[in-house]
Amino acid sequence: MMRSSVGYLILCAVLRAGVTHAHAEAAESQEAFVGWTREDLDAKWGTDWGFSGISTFAHLPHHRCLQYPETEYDIGILGAPFDTAVSYRPGARFGPRAIRAASARQTSFRGYNPRASINPYREWAKIIDCGDIPVTPFDNELALRQMSEAFTNLAHSVPPKQSVDSSIAYRRRPKLLTFGGDHSIALPTLRALNKVYGNVAVVHFDAHLDTWHPAKYPSAWFDANDPAEQSFFTHGTMFWLAHNESLLLENKSVHAGLRTRLTNLGDNEDDDAQGWARIACDDIDDLGVAGVARKIVSHVGTETPVYLSIDIDVIDPGLAPGTGTPEPGGWTTRELIRVLRGIEGLNVVGADVVEVSPAYDGTGEATALAAAQVAFEILSSMVKRGMAPDAGTTKDEL
């Protein structure tokens, strides 16, 4: 019995050695798996369907630009998930996530914009998704500091190196398209732009003025005469603060789409004193879409550095209900997009799309979809403006 057991063990060892030797010979003679070249891998696995992939805006590559400031890009998408300066319905901290999700059907291989005659994702510009600013929800003073520092750092980003053979005629500074968050994020953005461009004009699409004196929100709990009062920083006062900090060009900024109730006519007088022009929502019926666009361009000029700020509540809440301060009677999504197309010649140095609050949106994501389309139009205009003159566009000297 013992002798047969020993024989069995020896036989197993021999067989095992033979199998191992056979595998080794096969490994030595095996050819590389077909499709392992860089080109094959990119072609097979380098694209996504609208419903697949990690949720970045338009499936763009994701880089943590704040954490890695050496990251090069021409246009960066940045989320500012902050909503604790809102006066009515909170929830816009989830806006960046919702806009990215709603952009899923935008892809570089199917991103041609017929009105602009370009695919912004495949032209000269390197466009990436820079992720979000990790803004605290507990302390607005700290949040403002965080956003101011983040935007300032990114405003000084270095553009991609330009090759000798490039068809890009002009090198410009990198630009940011920011997704809010509530509208107060415009203040830290303007602070950052001021350090790079000096004073800029604001083209502001909104149902509301957002130039209100903080005391327009009456309270016995703060000192209305204290310029350092933290509660002065809200999504309805940030342009008042920007004016007081001398961040805006005089008499160059314009509101469009206004239709809100006022405290009294003194609100418009305060707005006048801060140098703003106003285009009411109803003006689109008298001037038409083209007339509104012409009025904006003629007031601002095509060489003035512009911060383009779009509160999604400029659209009627019947079409974009997911927002913090809805005002009935607004523009349609199509009207807003057509006005944006009409001002594509502006020298936009930064932009935002804010106040998307998905908790109030429907299952069809109408508000987020509108915001994603607005962002696509802004990107198209930025890229088109930055192209060489022989492409039929205007030189960007900034």
Side-chain angles (χ1 to χ4, degrees), residues 110-329:
R110 194 180 178 187
Y112 186 79
N113 189 332
R115 69 91 181 170
S117 300
I118 59 170
N119 180 339
Y121 304 122
R122 290 196 168 181
E123 276 293 346
W124 61 268
K126 181 180 180 181
I127 309 176
I128 65 174
D129 192 323
C130 287
D132 291 346
I133 307 170
V135 189
T136 178
F138 306 120
D139 183 338
N140 280 12
E141 184 176 8
L142 175 57
L144 180 55
R145 175 186 159 200
Q146 289 175 316
M147 290 187 288
S148 296
E149 184 173 323
F151 286 121
T152 300
N153 288 351
L154 293 177
H156 289 89
S157 297
V158 178
K161 295 179 178 64
Q162 181 181 358
S163 68
V164 176
D165 298 329
S166 174
S167 61
I168 308 169
Y170 307 101
R171 172 49 57 207
R172 67 233 96 233
R173 297 181 186 274
K175 299 173 183 178
L176 290 177
L177 171 56
T178 306
F179 298 152
D182 70 47
H183 213 155
S184 65
I185 69 167
L187 177 62
T189 309
L190 289 169
R191 287 176 173 175
L193 291 174
N194 183 263
K195 294 181 183 299
V196 176
Y197 299 99
N199 292 1
V200 300
V202 176
V203 175
H204 174 219
F205 290 87
D206 202 322
H208 311 91
L209 290 168
D210 293 349
T211 54
W212 279 293
H213 188 289
K216 296 291 183 177
Y217 296 107
S219 174
W221 296 97
F222 64 78
D223 183 357
N225 297 314
D226 181 2
E229 176 65 54
Q230 180 180 327
S231 61
F232 280 9
F233 174 57
T234 77
H235 74 157
T237 64
M238 70 285 176
F239 290 135
W240 179 87
L241 292 168
H243 170 75
N244 283 4
E245 294 181 19
S246 300
L247 303 178
L248 307 182
L249 286 169
E250 292 187 11
N251 302 314
K252 279 293 186 180
S253 296
V254 58
H255 308 287
L258 297 171
R259 61 186 185 280
T260 188
R261 291 166 295 280
L262 304 176
T263 308
N264 52 49
L265 286 178
D267 292 346
N268 284 342
E269 293 171 1
D270 288 346
D271 194 64
D272 291 337
Q274 295 172 51
W276 289 77
R278 292 184 297 279
I279 299 174
C281 181
D282 291 346
D283 289 343
I284 203 165
D285 297 323
D286 301 322
L287 301 175
V289 169
V292 169
R294 281 195 299 269
K295 190 169 182 177
I296 293 171
V297 173
S298 64
H299 181 79
V300 177
T302 56
E303 298 306 315
T304 304
V306 168
Y307 182 64
L308 179 60
S309 189
I310 300 174
D311 188 325
I312 206 67
D313 71 25
V314 72
I315 299 175
D316 188 85
L319 299 171
T323 190
T325 47
E327 300 285 356

Side-chain angles (χ1 to χ4, degrees), residues 72-94:
E72 295 182 346
Y73 59 89
D74 292 294
I75 303 173
I77 306 296
L78 183 68
F82 173 76
D83 66 359
T84 49
V86 71
S87 60
Y88 191 46
R89 301 195 306 201
R93 69 182 62 179
F94 297 103

Side-chain angles (χ1 to χ4, degrees), residues 27-37:
E28 289 178 1
S29 62
Q30 185 177 19
E31 295 182 1
F33 182 75
V34 176
W36 276 10
T37 67

Side-chain angles (χ1 to χ4, degrees), residues 57 106 111-118 120-121 177 308 310 333-334 336-344 348 351 353 369-385:
F57 185 81
Q106 295 186 36
Y112 186 79
N113 189 332
R115 69 91 181 170
S117 300
I118 59 170
Y121 304 122
L177 171 56
L308 179 60
I310 300 174
T333 309
R334 182 177 64 181
L336 172 60
I337 289 172
R338 288 198 63 196
V339 173
L340 290 173
R341 291 172 176 176
I343 62 172
E344 67 174 14
V348 175
V353 182
L369 285 167
Q373 182 64 27
V374 165
F376 174 67
E377 297 295 342
I378 294 171
L379 289 173
S380 295
S381 295
M382 282 182 170
V383 172
K384 186 173 181 179
R385 164 89 188 194

